[in-house]
């Protein structure tokens, strides 16, 4: 029996849903899906969740462009449905007099097969122990999905992918993998993996500890490269108009000089007589600034802690910026001596525990020497051990003294955060709203202060 294109597409999507949400095989869907894929001239490997997208593309290079083009296909389909809704037509309805099979072309069925393969690989993660090879394969498949979604990959999708990866990492025999250089080499550093390594570092030794440190350093270097570019793009500085321009040829403003001296044009000899030269102002404000970064290292803030530790090291490398770094849970530790090396900082942190902000503030306050030239970046979810009022009052006091206070709920890969609403409301009323979302927001705020 020959199915219509619409029916064939539905078969593929029903199989996808069954594969993600139902652990038991569905023979009828499997048989029908094999027939659909075979009829489309596609390889049976598309139906095997154990075969990665990279392996499919390696074996069938002609499919690479089709996988890369899925994003454009999905967006085109969404535009069509939006147009239908705007016209008052149900997105699932086929216009009157239109054959359903012609409305859904075989190309769309083919895209549905590829799209189902990608989603099945990413979201059907199964159960049981996960090997290094399986984790690496999943990470690459998730990379295909991120590329497909592009800028449309919203915070919710990033959060789901992060949770899936964290689950896979937790199901690994990580210590055994790290003890084997060949298996360890297959791991791709990610936030989920780094968090697990930081939590377990005290239980590692020898080869396993060396491999864990190598993975952490690789991740730090990757993130640092991205953040360093963002800082360079947003910290160009502003021209200080109070400083007279240097009267050197390199700073000569030729256009302005000509414009200002046009009244001296002599039409008889066709010459412009210049009685005043104008120069560009290039001096930038270079007043030294002190940046104090306080990071909550409790378990819920790992992503932010890693990002901000790396960011602090980058700002510490800029001229005229004196960076101090403090990490805390129920105790506080001054990590300033290692602020230039985020790798060393992370190895000295102790994830977990609760929050005792006043302990960290007691360490930070003596570092505030020139309040109006100090920025205090406080990264936390602000869920305190019954000491919310003392912490807020101390923050309010340093803010009133002229310190630039930047409370940060989280700066992470997903852009998601959970902040104590008691603090959120009070920070907003104080005129220092909590920064949320991507780390670019924090970079922008720091840039505005340091310029």
């Amino acid at each position: 029996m020959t199915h219509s294109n619409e029916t064939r597409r539905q078969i593929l999507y029903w199989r996808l849903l069954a594969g993600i949400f139902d652990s038991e095989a569905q023979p009828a869907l499997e048989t029908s899906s094999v027939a659909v894929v075979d009829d489309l001239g596609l390889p049976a490997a598309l139906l095997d969740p154990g075969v990665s997208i990279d392996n499919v593309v390696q074996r069938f290079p002609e499919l690479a462009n089709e996988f890369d083009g899925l994003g454009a296909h999905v967006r085109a389909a969404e535009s069509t449905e939006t147009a239908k809704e705007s016209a008052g037509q149900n997105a699932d309805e086929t216009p009157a007099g239109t054959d359903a099979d012609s409305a859904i072309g075989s190309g769309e069925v083919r895209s549905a097969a590829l799209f189902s393969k990608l989603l099945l690989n990413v979201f059907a993660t199964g159960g049981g122990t996960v090997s290094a090879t399986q984790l690496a394969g999943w990470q690459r498949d998730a990379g295909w999905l991120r590329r497909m979604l592009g800028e449309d990959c919203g915070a919710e999708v990033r959060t789901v992918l992060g949770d899936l990866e964290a689950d896979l990492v937790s199901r690994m025999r990580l210590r055994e993998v790290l003890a084997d250089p060949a298996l360890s080499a297959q791991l791709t550093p990610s936030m989920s993996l780094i968090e697990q390594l930081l939590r377990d570092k005290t239980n590692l030794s020898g080869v396993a500890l060396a491999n864990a440190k190598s993975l952490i350093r690789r991740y730090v270097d990757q993130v640092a490269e991205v953040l360093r570019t963002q800082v360079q793009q947003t910290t160009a500085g502003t021209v200080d108009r109070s400083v007279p321009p240097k009267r050197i040829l390199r700073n000569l403003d030729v256009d302005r000089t000509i414009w200002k001296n046009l009244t001296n044009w002599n039409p008889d000899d066709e010459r412009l007589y210049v009685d005043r030269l104008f120069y560009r102002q290039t001096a930038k404000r270079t007043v030294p600034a002190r940046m104090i970064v306080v990071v909550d290292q409790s378990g819920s803030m790992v992503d932010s802690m890693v990002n901000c530790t790396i960011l602090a090291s980058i700002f510490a490398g800029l001229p005229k910026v004196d960076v101090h770094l403090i990490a805390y849970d129920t105790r506080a530790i001054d990590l300033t001596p290692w602020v230039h090396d985020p790798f060393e900082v992370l190895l000295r942190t102790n994830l977990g525990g609760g929050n005792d902000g006043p302990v960290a503030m007691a360490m930070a306050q003596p570092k505030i020497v020139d309040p109006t030239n100090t920025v205090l970046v406080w990264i936390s979810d602000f869920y305190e051990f019954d000491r919310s009022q003392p912490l807020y009052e101390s923050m309010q006091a340093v803010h009133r003294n002229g310190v630039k206070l930047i409370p940060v709920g989280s700066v992470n890969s997903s852009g998601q955060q959970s902040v104590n609403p008691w603090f959120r409301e009070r920070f907003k009323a104080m005129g220092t709203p909590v920064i949320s979302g991507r780390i670019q927001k924090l970079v922008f705020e720091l840039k505005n202060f340091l310029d």
Side-chain angles (χ1 to χ4, degrees), residues 157-226:
V157 174
R158 289 191 294 269
T159 299
V160 170
L161 293 179
D163 290 343
L164 286 171
E165 184 175 32
D167 175 65
L168 291 170
V169 171
S170 69
R171 287 157 47 193
M172 291 183 67
R173 292 195 178 104
L174 191 55
R175 296 177 193 176
E176 296 177 16
V177 172
L178 291 170
D180 186 328
L183 292 177
S184 180
Q186 297 180 37
L187 296 176
T188 300
S190 62
M191 181 57 69
S192 299
L193 183 58
I194 297 309
E195 178 178 349
Q196 195 76 2
L197 294 175
L198 292 175
R199 290 186 186 281
D200 203 38
K201 65 181 185 294
T202 56
N203 297 315
L204 302 175
S205 61
V207 174
L209 181 58
N211 287 331
K213 288 183 176 180
S214 176
L215 285 165
I216 294 172
R217 185 173 286 283
R218 280 170 56 196
Y219 184 77
V220 166
D221 291 344
Q222 290 171 8
V223 176
E225 183 177 354
V226 175

Side-chain angles (χ1 to χ4, degrees), residues 80-395:
T80 300
E81 292 189 358
T82 301
K84 287 183 179 181
E85 291 174 356
S86 299
Q89 177 188 338
N90 188 302
D92 295 326
E93 291 179 353
T94 302
T98 301
D99 179 72
D101 196 40
S102 61
I104 304 296
S106 59
E108 293 187 57
V109 182
R110 191 178 180 92
S111 294
L114 299 177
F115 191 54
S116 297
K117 167 64 176 174
L118 179 55
L119 294 185
L120 190 65
N121 277 27
V122 172
F123 293 103
T125 55
T129 303
V130 175
S131 68
T133 302
Q134 287 173 319
L135 176 62
W138 183 90
Q139 289 174 327
R140 289 193 293 270
D141 287 340
W144 279 93
L145 180 60
R146 291 189 184 96
R147 290 196 299 275
M148 186 201 78
L149 296 176
E151 294 299 324
D152 296 330
C153 184
E156 293 181 3
V157 174
R158 289 191 294 269
T159 299
V160 170
L161 293 179
D163 290 343
L164 286 171
E165 184 175 32
D167 175 65
L168 291 170
V169 171
S170 69
R171 287 157 47 193
M172 291 183 67
R173 292 195 178 104
L174 191 55
R175 296 177 193 176
E176 296 177 16
V177 172
L178 291 170
D180 186 328
L183 292 177
S184 180
Q186 297 180 37
L187 296 176
T188 300
S190 62
M191 181 57 69
S192 299
L193 183 58
I194 297 309
E195 178 178 349
Q196 195 76 2
L197 294 175
L198 292 175
R199 290 186 186 281
D200 203 38
K201 65 181 185 294
T202 56
N203 297 315
L204 302 175
S205 61
V207 174
L209 181 58
N211 287 331
K213 288 183 176 180
S214 176
L215 285 165
I216 294 172
R217 185 173 286 283
R218 280 170 56 196
Y219 184 77
V220 166
D221 291 344
Q222 290 171 8
V223 176
E225 183 177 354
V226 175
L227 294 182
R228 192 174 291 112
T229 300
Q230 293 176 359
V231 171
Q232 291 171 348
Q233 290 174 342
T234 57
T235 57
T238 55
V239 174
D240 186 354
R241 300 293 179 184
S242 66
V243 179
K246 280 189 177 183
R247 295 179 176 273
I248 58 177
L249 180 61
R250 185 177 62 210
N251 288 346
L252 179 64
D253 189 337
V254 177
D255 291 341
R256 189 164 178 239
T257 297
I258 293 174
W259 176 256
K260 291 291 187 179
N261 287 279
L262 282 178
T263 55
N264 298 328
W265 170 258
N266 189 322
D268 296 331
D269 54 14
E270 297 185 345
R271 289 188 177 184
L272 177 67
Y273 292 90
V274 177
D275 57 15
R276 183 182 176 187
L277 298 174
F278 291 84
Y279 297 86
R280 298 185 186 90
Q281 291 177 295
T282 58
K284 294 180 180 179
R285 201 174 296 279
T286 57
V287 178
R290 173 162 290 189
M291 180 190 302
I292 304 172
V293 182
V294 181
V295 184
D296 175 354
Q297 64 174 351
S298 62
S300 60
M301 297 298 296
V302 178
D303 204 339
S304 294
M305 185 195 72
V306 172
N307 280 320
C308 290
T309 295
I310 296 171
L311 186 63
S313 72
I314 293 170
F315 276 99
L318 298 179
K320 302 297 183 180
V321 182
D322 178 25
V323 179
H324 294 250
L325 179 62
I326 296 171
Y328 78 99
D329 44 33
T330 55
R331 297 179 302 171
I333 177 173
D334 190 346
L335 296 168
T336 304
W338 302 279
V339 72
H340 290 275
D341 190 345
F343 170 73
E344 291 295 333
V345 167
L346 292 176
L347 292 184
R348 285 169 169 78
T349 57
N350 184 27
L351 300 184
N355 290 23
D356 195 347
V359 172
M361 181 60 82
M363 184 176 285
Q365 281 181 311
K367 296 177 178 289
I368 302 174
V369 179
D370 180 4
T372 59
N373 205 35
T374 300
V375 57
L376 176 61
V377 181
W378 198 289
I379 301 102
S380 176
D381 56 11
F382 298 99
Y383 283 96
E384 292 289 312
F385 273 164
D386 299 325
R387 300 187 68 183
S388 297
Q389 191 70 36
L391 176 59
Y392 175 74
E393 290 177 351
S394 61
M395 288 182 161

